[in-house]
Short mmCIF file of all heavy atoms in Angstrom, two decimals:
data_model
loop_
_atom_site.label_atom_id
_atom_site.label_comp_id
_atom_site.label_asym_id
_atom_site.label_seq_id
_atom_site.Cartn_x
_atom_site.Cartn_y
_atom_site.Cartn_z
N ASP S 228 136.94 107.08 90.72
CA ASP S 228 135.91 107.75 90.02
C ASP S 228 136.28 108.30 88.67
O ASP S 228 135.37 108.80 87.95
CB ASP S 228 135.26 108.82 90.85
CG ASP S 228 134.57 108.45 92.10
OD1 ASP S 228 133.72 107.47 92.03
OD2 ASP S 228 134.81 108.91 93.24
N VAL S 229 137.58 108.38 88.40
CA VAL S 229 138.03 109.06 87.20
C VAL S 229 137.34 108.55 85.96
O VAL S 229 136.86 109.34 85.15
CB VAL S 229 139.54 109.00 87.13
CG1 VAL S 229 140.13 109.42 85.65
CG2 VAL S 229 140.19 109.90 88.23
N PRO S 230 137.23 107.22 85.68
CA PRO S 230 136.61 106.76 84.46
C PRO S 230 135.15 107.28 84.42
O PRO S 230 134.74 107.66 83.29
CB PRO S 230 136.63 105.19 84.59
CG PRO S 230 137.85 104.93 85.53
CD PRO S 230 137.75 106.02 86.47
N VAL S 231 134.39 107.25 85.45
CA VAL S 231 133.00 107.64 85.36
C VAL S 231 132.91 109.24 85.22
O VAL S 231 132.02 109.69 84.53
CB VAL S 231 132.12 107.14 86.64
CG1 VAL S 231 132.39 107.96 87.83
CG2 VAL S 231 130.59 107.21 86.26
N ILE S 232 133.73 109.89 85.90
CA ILE S 232 133.80 111.42 85.64
C ILE S 232 134.15 111.69 84.10
O ILE S 232 133.40 112.53 83.54
CB ILE S 232 134.87 112.07 86.57
CG1 ILE S 232 134.41 111.96 87.98
CG2 ILE S 232 135.12 113.59 86.18
CD1 ILE S 232 135.55 112.44 89.02
N LEU S 233 135.12 110.97 83.60
CA LEU S 233 135.48 111.22 82.20
C LEU S 233 134.24 110.77 81.36
O LEU S 233 133.97 111.51 80.28
CB LEU S 233 136.65 110.32 81.76
CG LEU S 233 137.33 110.67 80.48
CD1 LEU S 233 137.69 112.18 80.41
CD2 LEU S 233 138.52 109.77 80.23
N ALA S 234 133.53 109.79 81.61
CA ALA S 234 132.31 109.43 80.84
C ALA S 234 131.32 110.49 80.90
O ALA S 234 130.65 110.91 79.89
CB ALA S 234 131.73 108.17 81.32
N MET S 235 131.11 111.04 82.18
CA MET S 235 130.01 112.13 82.28
C MET S 235 130.53 113.43 81.61
O MET S 235 129.68 114.17 81.09
CB MET S 235 129.72 112.30 83.73
CG MET S 235 128.85 111.17 84.29
SD MET S 235 128.20 111.52 85.95
CE MET S 235 129.53 111.16 87.03
N ILE S 236 131.78 113.62 81.55
CA ILE S 236 132.29 114.78 80.74
C ILE S 236 131.89 114.64 79.31
O ILE S 236 131.52 115.58 78.57
CB ILE S 236 133.83 114.94 80.93
CG1 ILE S 236 134.15 115.43 82.33
CG2 ILE S 236 134.35 115.93 79.96
CD1 ILE S 236 135.69 115.40 82.70
N GLY S 237 132.01 113.36 78.84
CA GLY S 237 131.68 113.12 77.41
C GLY S 237 130.17 113.28 77.25
O GLY S 237 129.77 113.89 76.25
N GLU S 238 129.36 112.88 78.19
CA GLU S 238 127.81 113.09 78.14
C GLU S 238 127.60 114.53 78.12
O GLU S 238 126.72 115.02 77.34
CB GLU S 238 127.32 112.33 79.32
CG GLU S 238 127.42 110.79 79.22
CD GLU S 238 126.93 110.14 80.49
OE1 GLU S 238 126.05 110.65 81.27
OE2 GLU S 238 127.37 109.01 80.71
N LEU S 239 128.28 115.29 79.02
CA LEU S 239 128.03 116.80 79.10
C LEU S 239 128.33 117.44 77.75
O LEU S 239 127.63 118.37 77.26
CB LEU S 239 128.83 117.42 80.15
CG LEU S 239 128.76 118.86 80.37
CD1 LEU S 239 127.37 119.37 80.60
CD2 LEU S 239 129.76 119.37 81.53
N ALA S 240 129.47 117.01 77.15
CA ALA S 240 129.89 117.65 75.85
C ALA S 240 128.89 117.42 74.84
O ALA S 240 128.65 118.28 74.00
CB ALA S 240 131.34 117.10 75.50
N ALA S 241 128.32 116.15 74.78
CA ALA S 241 127.29 115.85 73.79
C ALA S 241 126.09 116.72 74.08
O ALA S 241 125.54 117.25 73.16
CB ALA S 241 126.87 114.33 73.91
N TYR S 242 125.69 116.83 75.33
CA TYR S 242 124.50 117.74 75.62
C TYR S 242 124.77 119.12 75.19
O TYR S 242 123.87 119.88 74.67
CB TYR S 242 124.23 117.71 77.13
CG TYR S 242 123.23 118.74 77.57
CD1 TYR S 242 121.83 118.36 77.36
CD2 TYR S 242 123.56 119.83 78.18
CE1 TYR S 242 120.87 119.22 77.78
CE2 TYR S 242 122.53 120.81 78.57
CZ TYR S 242 121.22 120.45 78.36
OH TYR S 242 120.22 121.33 78.72
N GLU S 243 126.02 119.61 75.29
CA GLU S 243 126.34 121.02 74.89
C GLU S 243 126.71 121.15 73.37
O GLU S 243 127.22 122.19 73.00
CB GLU S 243 127.53 121.47 75.83
CG GLU S 243 127.11 121.69 77.29
CD GLU S 243 128.22 122.29 78.11
OE1 GLU S 243 129.38 122.38 77.66
OE2 GLU S 243 127.90 122.69 79.30
N ARG S 244 126.49 120.00 72.70
CA ARG S 244 126.68 120.01 71.33
C ARG S 244 128.14 120.19 70.84
O ARG S 244 128.53 120.93 69.91
CB ARG S 244 125.86 121.00 70.51
CG ARG S 244 124.40 121.01 70.88
CD ARG S 244 123.55 122.07 70.38
NE ARG S 244 122.24 122.06 70.98
CZ ARG S 244 121.40 123.09 70.96
NH1 ARG S 244 121.75 124.18 70.60
NH2 ARG S 244 120.20 122.91 71.61
N ALA S 245 129.11 119.64 71.67
CA ALA S 245 130.48 119.96 71.45
C ALA S 245 131.30 118.66 71.75
O ALA S 245 132.42 118.76 72.38
CB ALA S 245 130.98 121.06 72.30
N SER S 246 130.76 117.42 71.40
CA SER S 246 131.47 116.23 71.63
C SER S 246 132.92 116.19 71.24
O SER S 246 133.76 115.69 72.02
CB SER S 246 130.66 115.05 70.99
OG SER S 246 129.45 114.85 71.66
N GLU S 247 133.17 116.75 70.06
CA GLU S 247 134.56 116.77 69.56
C GLU S 247 135.48 117.49 70.48
O GLU S 247 136.66 117.28 70.42
CB GLU S 247 134.59 117.29 68.18
CG GLU S 247 134.33 118.80 68.02
CD GLU S 247 132.87 119.21 68.20
OE1 GLU S 247 131.97 118.40 68.24
OE2 GLU S 247 132.60 120.50 68.40
N ALA S 248 135.05 118.46 71.25
CA ALA S 248 135.92 119.28 72.01
C ALA S 248 136.32 118.57 73.40
O ALA S 248 137.32 118.93 73.94
CB ALA S 248 135.21 120.58 72.47
N ALA S 249 135.68 117.59 73.69
CA ALA S 249 136.01 116.74 74.99
C ALA S 249 137.16 115.78 74.64
O ALA S 249 136.90 114.69 74.17
CB ALA S 249 134.78 116.06 75.46
N GLN S 250 138.36 116.23 74.86
CA GLN S 250 139.53 115.46 74.49
C GLN S 250 140.31 114.97 75.72
O GLN S 250 141.42 114.42 75.59
CB GLN S 250 140.35 116.30 73.58
CG GLN S 250 139.72 116.67 72.31
CD GLN S 250 140.58 117.44 71.35
OE1 GLN S 250 141.79 117.61 71.60
NE2 GLN S 250 139.95 117.90 70.29
N ALA S 251 139.98 115.34 77.02
CA ALA S 251 140.69 114.86 78.15
C ALA S 251 140.84 113.44 78.21
O ALA S 251 139.91 112.62 77.79
CB ALA S 251 140.06 115.50 79.44
N THR S 252 141.95 112.90 78.78
CA THR S 252 142.14 111.53 78.97
C THR S 252 142.13 111.17 80.49
O THR S 252 142.21 111.94 81.35
CB THR S 252 143.53 111.09 78.36
OG1 THR S 252 144.51 111.78 79.16
CG2 THR S 252 143.63 111.54 76.93
N GLU S 253 141.89 109.84 80.73
CA GLU S 253 141.94 109.46 82.18
C GLU S 253 143.28 109.85 82.94
O GLU S 253 143.20 110.38 83.91
CB GLU S 253 141.76 107.87 82.23
CG GLU S 253 140.24 107.55 82.08
CD GLU S 253 140.04 105.98 82.40
OE1 GLU S 253 140.76 105.46 83.25
OE2 GLU S 253 139.09 105.52 81.80
N PRO S 254 144.39 109.63 82.26
CA PRO S 254 145.70 109.95 82.91
C PRO S 254 145.69 111.52 83.25
O PRO S 254 146.15 111.96 84.34
CB PRO S 254 146.79 109.62 82.01
CG PRO S 254 146.26 108.48 81.20
CD PRO S 254 144.75 108.78 80.97
N GLN S 255 145.23 112.36 82.26
CA GLN S 255 145.19 113.86 82.54
C GLN S 255 144.33 114.14 83.70
O GLN S 255 144.64 114.85 84.47
CB GLN S 255 144.78 114.52 81.18
CG GLN S 255 145.73 114.54 80.14
CD GLN S 255 145.09 115.27 78.94
OE1 GLN S 255 143.95 114.89 78.50
NE2 GLN S 255 145.86 116.02 78.22
N LEU S 256 143.15 113.59 83.68
CA LEU S 256 142.12 113.92 84.70
C LEU S 256 142.57 113.38 86.07
O LEU S 256 142.49 114.05 87.06
CB LEU S 256 140.87 113.31 84.35
CG LEU S 256 139.57 113.70 85.10
CD1 LEU S 256 139.39 115.19 85.01
CD2 LEU S 256 138.30 113.01 84.54
N LYS S 257 143.24 112.18 86.04
CA LYS S 257 143.69 111.70 87.40
C LYS S 257 144.83 112.62 87.94
O LYS S 257 144.88 112.79 89.02
CB LYS S 257 144.24 110.21 87.16
CG LYS S 257 144.56 109.48 88.52
CD LYS S 257 144.82 107.95 88.24
CE LYS S 257 144.93 107.38 89.54
NZ LYS S 257 145.02 105.94 89.42
N GLU S 258 145.69 113.11 87.04
CA GLU S 258 146.76 114.02 87.50
C GLU S 258 146.28 115.29 87.96
O GLU S 258 146.58 115.80 88.98
CB GLU S 258 147.76 114.17 86.36
CG GLU S 258 148.93 115.18 86.69
CD GLU S 258 149.92 114.66 87.65
OE1 GLU S 258 150.02 113.42 87.86
OE2 GLU S 258 150.61 115.49 88.30
N ALA S 259 145.29 115.82 87.19
CA ALA S 259 144.68 117.10 87.61
C ALA S 259 143.88 117.04 88.91
O ALA S 259 143.98 117.98 89.71
CB ALA S 259 143.68 117.59 86.49
N LEU S 260 143.21 115.96 89.23
CA LEU S 260 142.42 115.81 90.48
C LEU S 260 143.26 115.22 91.58
O LEU S 260 142.84 115.60 92.68
CB LEU S 260 141.25 114.96 90.18
CG LEU S 260 140.23 115.49 89.19
CD1 LEU S 260 139.14 114.52 88.85
CD2 LEU S 260 139.53 116.74 89.77
N PHE S 261 144.19 114.32 91.34
CA PHE S 261 144.70 113.60 92.45
C PHE S 261 146.34 113.58 92.40
O PHE S 261 146.92 112.79 93.22
CB PHE S 261 144.24 112.09 92.45
CG PHE S 261 142.70 112.09 92.53
CD1 PHE S 261 142.01 111.77 91.45
CD2 PHE S 261 142.05 112.44 93.68
CE1 PHE S 261 140.59 111.87 91.53
CE2 PHE S 261 140.65 112.44 93.81
CZ PHE S 261 139.98 112.09 92.63
N GLY S 262 146.92 114.30 91.50
CA GLY S 262 148.35 114.33 91.52
C GLY S 262 148.90 115.09 92.61
O GLY S 262 148.15 115.54 93.52
N PRO S 263 150.23 115.33 92.67
CA PRO S 263 150.89 115.97 93.72
C PRO S 263 150.42 117.37 94.00
O PRO S 263 150.45 117.86 95.13
CB PRO S 263 152.41 115.90 93.47
CG PRO S 263 152.47 115.04 92.24
CD PRO S 263 151.18 114.81 91.68
N GLN S 264 150.07 118.08 92.93
CA GLN S 264 149.59 119.43 93.03
C GLN S 264 148.22 119.52 92.25
O GLN S 264 148.16 120.06 91.11
CB GLN S 264 150.58 120.45 92.40
CG GLN S 264 151.88 120.55 93.15
CD GLN S 264 152.84 121.52 92.60
OE1 GLN S 264 152.57 122.09 91.54
NE2 GLN S 264 153.90 121.73 93.27
N PRO S 265 147.11 119.09 92.95
CA PRO S 265 145.85 119.11 92.18
C PRO S 265 145.51 120.43 91.71
O PRO S 265 145.67 121.51 92.36
CB PRO S 265 144.89 118.62 93.26
CG PRO S 265 145.71 117.97 94.31
CD PRO S 265 147.04 118.66 94.30
N ALA S 266 144.99 120.47 90.52
CA ALA S 266 144.65 121.66 89.83
C ALA S 266 143.13 121.85 89.90
O ALA S 266 142.54 122.96 89.67
CB ALA S 266 145.01 121.70 88.39
N ALA S 267 142.40 120.79 90.20
CA ALA S 267 140.92 120.89 90.26
C ALA S 267 140.51 119.78 91.34
O ALA S 267 141.22 118.94 91.78
CB ALA S 267 140.34 120.52 88.90
N PHE S 268 139.08 119.90 91.61
CA PHE S 268 138.60 119.00 92.66
C PHE S 268 137.18 118.58 92.03
O PHE S 268 136.70 119.23 91.20
CB PHE S 268 138.47 119.76 93.96
CG PHE S 268 139.69 120.37 94.37
CD1 PHE S 268 139.93 121.70 93.98
CD2 PHE S 268 140.62 119.70 95.12
CE1 PHE S 268 141.18 122.31 94.40
CE2 PHE S 268 141.80 120.28 95.49
CZ PHE S 268 142.12 121.57 95.18
N ALA S 269 136.66 117.41 92.55
CA ALA S 269 135.39 116.97 91.98
C ALA S 269 134.50 116.46 93.25
O ALA S 269 135.12 115.81 94.11
CB ALA S 269 135.70 115.98 90.98
N LEU S 270 133.35 116.61 93.06
CA LEU S 270 132.31 115.97 93.92
C LEU S 270 131.47 115.14 93.08
O LEU S 270 131.17 115.26 91.88
CB LEU S 270 131.41 117.03 94.53
CG LEU S 270 132.02 118.07 95.46
CD1 LEU S 270 131.02 119.13 95.92
CD2 LEU S 270 132.75 117.50 96.66
N ILE S 271 130.92 113.97 93.68
CA ILE S 271 130.11 113.06 93.05
C ILE S 271 128.77 113.01 93.61
O ILE S 271 128.74 112.98 94.83
CB ILE S 271 130.73 111.64 93.11
CG1 ILE S 271 132.06 111.55 92.35
CG2 ILE S 271 129.79 110.57 92.45
CD1 ILE S 271 132.14 111.66 90.96
N ALA S 272 127.73 113.02 92.83
CA ALA S 272 126.29 112.73 93.36
C ALA S 272 126.03 111.36 93.06
O ALA S 272 126.24 110.80 92.02
CB ALA S 272 125.34 113.66 92.62
N GLU S 273 125.47 110.66 94.19
CA GLU S 273 125.08 109.23 93.96
C GLU S 273 123.66 109.07 94.37
O GLU S 273 123.08 109.82 95.13
CB GLU S 273 125.90 108.43 94.95
CG GLU S 273 127.36 108.28 94.55
CD GLU S 273 128.08 107.31 95.48
OE1 GLU S 273 127.67 107.08 96.69
OE2 GLU S 273 129.07 106.64 95.09
N ALA S 274 123.10 108.11 93.62
CA ALA S 274 121.65 107.63 93.92
C ALA S 274 121.74 106.12 93.94
O ALA S 274 122.15 105.55 92.94
CB ALA S 274 120.71 108.12 92.93
N GLY S 275 121.34 105.50 94.96
CA GLY S 275 121.36 104.03 95.09
C GLY S 275 122.77 103.48 94.98
O GLY S 275 122.90 102.41 94.38
N GLY S 276 123.77 104.21 95.32
CA GLY S 276 125.16 103.75 95.26
C GLY S 276 125.83 103.91 94.01
O GLY S 276 127.01 103.62 93.75
N ALA S 277 125.10 104.51 92.96
CA ALA S 277 125.62 104.69 91.69
C ALA S 277 125.87 106.17 91.36
O ALA S 277 125.03 107.03 91.72
CB ALA S 277 124.75 104.02 90.60
N PRO S 278 127.00 106.54 90.73
CA PRO S 278 127.24 107.90 90.42
C PRO S 278 126.20 108.37 89.36
O PRO S 278 126.04 107.75 88.33
CB PRO S 278 128.66 107.95 89.74
CG PRO S 278 129.33 106.68 90.29
CD PRO S 278 128.17 105.68 90.44
N VAL S 279 125.54 109.53 89.60
CA VAL S 279 124.52 110.05 88.70
C VAL S 279 124.86 111.45 88.28
O VAL S 279 124.17 112.08 87.47
CB VAL S 279 123.15 110.03 89.32
CG1 VAL S 279 122.65 108.58 89.52
CG2 VAL S 279 123.05 110.85 90.56
N GLY S 280 125.97 112.06 88.89
CA GLY S 280 126.34 113.42 88.58
C GLY S 280 127.67 113.81 89.22
O GLY S 280 128.14 113.02 89.95
N PHE S 281 128.17 114.96 88.67
CA PHE S 281 129.45 115.42 89.27
C PHE S 281 129.50 116.94 89.09
O PHE S 281 128.86 117.47 88.35
CB PHE S 281 130.61 114.79 88.55
CG PHE S 281 131.03 115.36 87.24
CD1 PHE S 281 132.09 116.15 87.15
CD2 PHE S 281 130.24 115.13 86.10
CE1 PHE S 281 132.44 116.71 85.92
CE2 PHE S 281 130.59 115.61 84.84
CZ PHE S 281 131.74 116.45 84.71
N ALA S 282 130.30 117.48 90.00
CA ALA S 282 130.80 118.85 89.82
C ALA S 282 132.30 118.89 89.84
O ALA S 282 132.87 118.29 90.78
CB ALA S 282 130.19 119.66 90.97
N LEU S 283 132.92 119.53 88.90
CA LEU S 283 134.33 119.73 88.84
C LEU S 283 134.69 121.21 89.03
O LEU S 283 134.08 122.00 88.26
CB LEU S 283 134.84 119.20 87.57
CG LEU S 283 136.41 119.01 87.45
CD1 LEU S 283 136.78 117.74 86.80
CD2 LEU S 283 137.06 120.19 86.92
N TRP S 284 135.47 121.54 89.98
CA TRP S 284 135.72 122.95 90.28
C TRP S 284 137.18 123.23 90.62
O TRP S 284 137.97 122.25 90.83
CB TRP S 284 134.75 123.39 91.48
CG TRP S 284 135.15 122.59 92.73
CD1 TRP S 284 134.68 121.32 93.06
CD2 TRP S 284 135.93 123.07 93.82
NE1 TRP S 284 135.16 121.06 94.34
CE2 TRP S 284 135.93 122.05 94.80
CE3 TRP S 284 136.69 124.18 94.06
CZ2 TRP S 284 136.66 122.19 95.95
CZ3 TRP S 284 137.33 124.36 95.23
CH2 TRP S 284 137.31 123.31 96.23
N PHE S 285 137.57 124.48 90.63
CA PHE S 285 138.86 124.83 91.08
C PHE S 285 138.79 126.22 91.70
O PHE S 285 137.80 126.90 91.56
CB PHE S 285 139.95 124.87 89.91
CG PHE S 285 139.51 125.71 88.68
CD1 PHE S 285 139.84 127.06 88.64
CD2 PHE S 285 138.81 125.08 87.73
CE1 PHE S 285 139.56 127.79 87.62
CE2 PHE S 285 138.47 125.93 86.55
CZ PHE S 285 138.85 127.33 86.52
N ARG S 286 139.76 126.46 92.53
CA ARG S 286 139.75 127.81 93.26
C ARG S 286 140.25 128.88 92.18
O ARG S 286 141.07 128.67 91.39
CB ARG S 286 140.83 127.82 94.34
CG ARG S 286 140.46 127.05 95.46
CD ARG S 286 141.37 127.13 96.70
NE ARG S 286 142.79 127.35 96.36
CZ ARG S 286 143.68 127.88 97.22
NH1 ARG S 286 143.32 128.03 98.45
NH2 ARG S 286 144.95 127.90 96.74
N ASN S 287 139.58 130.03 92.33
CA ASN S 287 139.95 131.29 91.63
C ASN S 287 140.27 132.32 92.68
O ASN S 287 140.31 131.98 93.85
CB ASN S 287 138.92 131.77 90.64
CG ASN S 287 137.62 132.07 91.27
OD1 ASN S 287 137.44 132.19 92.50
ND2 ASN S 287 136.55 132.25 90.44
N PHE S 288 140.61 133.53 92.34
CA PHE S 288 140.95 134.51 93.25
C PHE S 288 140.48 135.90 92.77
O PHE S 288 140.61 136.29 91.51
CB PHE S 288 142.63 134.66 93.43
CG PHE S 288 142.94 135.65 94.48
CD1 PHE S 288 142.90 135.28 95.77
CD2 PHE S 288 143.33 136.89 94.03
CE1 PHE S 288 143.32 136.27 96.74
CE2 PHE S 288 143.77 137.80 95.07
CZ PHE S 288 143.77 137.47 96.37
N SER S 289 139.89 136.71 93.64
CA SER S 289 139.49 137.93 93.35
C SER S 289 140.35 139.07 93.92
O SER S 289 140.61 139.09 95.16
CB SER S 289 138.00 138.17 93.92
OG SER S 289 137.65 139.60 93.79
N THR S 290 140.88 139.82 93.06
CA THR S 290 141.73 140.92 93.55
C THR S 290 140.81 141.98 94.33
O THR S 290 141.33 142.75 95.06
CB THR S 290 142.54 141.61 92.44
OG1 THR S 290 141.67 142.07 91.41
CG2 THR S 290 143.53 140.67 91.89
N TRP S 291 139.60 142.05 93.93
CA TRP S 291 138.73 142.96 94.56
C TRP S 291 138.36 142.64 96.01
O TRP S 291 138.28 143.47 96.83
CB TRP S 291 137.44 143.19 93.71
CG TRP S 291 137.69 143.85 92.38
CD1 TRP S 291 138.86 144.13 91.84
CD2 TRP S 291 136.74 144.41 91.47
NE1 TRP S 291 138.78 144.76 90.63
CE2 TRP S 291 137.35 144.89 90.41
CE3 TRP S 291 135.34 144.35 91.39
CZ2 TRP S 291 136.73 145.49 89.31
CZ3 TRP S 291 134.69 145.00 90.45
CH2 TRP S 291 135.43 145.50 89.30
N THR S 292 138.04 141.37 96.19
CA THR S 292 137.73 140.92 97.58
C THR S 292 138.91 140.51 98.37
O THR S 292 138.87 140.39 99.60
CB THR S 292 136.65 139.78 97.51
OG1 THR S 292 137.34 138.59 97.10
CG2 THR S 292 135.46 140.22 96.86
N GLY S 293 140.00 140.16 97.63
CA GLY S 293 141.22 139.67 98.27
C GLY S 293 141.04 138.25 98.83
O GLY S 293 141.79 137.73 99.74
N THR S 294 140.09 137.44 98.17
CA THR S 294 139.80 136.17 98.70
C THR S 294 139.72 135.20 97.48
O THR S 294 139.47 135.63 96.42
CB THR S 294 138.52 136.10 99.52
OG1 THR S 294 137.36 136.39 98.64
CG2 THR S 294 138.46 136.94 100.73
N HIS S 295 139.81 133.96 97.90
CA HIS S 295 139.61 132.95 96.82
C HIS S 295 138.09 132.80 96.65
O HIS S 295 137.36 133.25 97.40
CB HIS S 295 140.12 131.55 97.25
CG HIS S 295 141.66 131.40 97.26
ND1 HIS S 295 142.32 131.26 96.04
CD2 HIS S 295 142.60 131.36 98.21
CE1 HIS S 295 143.60 131.18 96.28
NE2 HIS S 295 143.84 131.27 97.66
N GLY S 296 137.79 132.08 95.67
CA GLY S 296 136.35 131.67 95.28
C GLY S 296 136.38 130.26 94.60
O GLY S 296 137.47 129.74 94.33
N VAL S 297 135.25 129.86 94.33
CA VAL S 297 135.08 128.57 93.66
C VAL S 297 134.60 128.90 92.22
O VAL S 297 133.64 129.63 91.96
CB VAL S 297 134.05 127.67 94.31
CG1 VAL S 297 133.57 126.52 93.32
CG2 VAL S 297 134.63 127.11 95.63
N TYR S 298 135.29 128.25 91.25
CA TYR S 298 134.83 128.43 89.83
C TYR S 298 134.49 127.07 89.37
O TYR S 298 135.26 126.09 89.44
CB TYR S 298 136.08 128.86 88.89
CG TYR S 298 135.59 129.07 87.52
CD1 TYR S 298 135.17 130.27 87.03
CD2 TYR S 298 135.60 128.03 86.56
CE1 TYR S 298 134.65 130.49 85.79
CE2 TYR S 298 135.17 128.20 85.25
CZ TYR S 298 134.72 129.40 84.81
OH TYR S 298 134.22 129.56 83.55
N LEU S 299 133.25 126.87 89.05
CA LEU S 299 132.61 125.54 88.72
C LEU S 299 132.82 125.40 87.21
O LEU S 299 132.21 126.07 86.46
CB LEU S 299 131.11 125.55 89.15
CG LEU S 299 130.31 124.33 88.71
CD1 LEU S 299 130.91 123.12 89.39
CD2 LEU S 299 128.90 124.53 89.19
N GLU S 300 133.65 124.52 86.85
CA GLU S 300 133.99 124.20 85.49
C GLU S 300 132.80 123.37 84.93
O GLU S 300 132.40 123.70 83.70
CB GLU S 300 135.27 123.47 85.44
CG GLU S 300 135.66 123.06 83.91
CD GLU S 300 135.96 124.26 83.05
OE1 GLU S 300 136.20 125.36 83.51
OE2 GLU S 300 135.93 124.11 81.83
#
Side-chain angles (χ1 to χ4, degrees):
D228 292 312
V229 169
V231 75
I232 293 170
L233 192 60
M235 286 191 282
I236 289 170
E238 294 168 26
L239 175 60
Y242 174 77
E243 292 183 349
R244 307 172 191 158
S246 292
E247 70 287 346
Q250 298 178 10
T252 65
E253 281 190 31
Q255 287 174 319
L256 197 54
K257 191 169 188 173
E258 178 70 19
L260 295 171
F261 303 106
Q264 295 181 355
F268 309 91
L270 298 175
I271 300 291
E273 289 185 333
V279 296
F281 80 103
L283 193 141
W284 63 278
F285 55 88
R286 289 188 324 167
N287 60 12
F288 184 81
S289 169
T290 57
W291 291 12
T292 68
T294 63
H295 284 288
V297 164
Y298 185 90
L299 178 59
E300 177 67 19

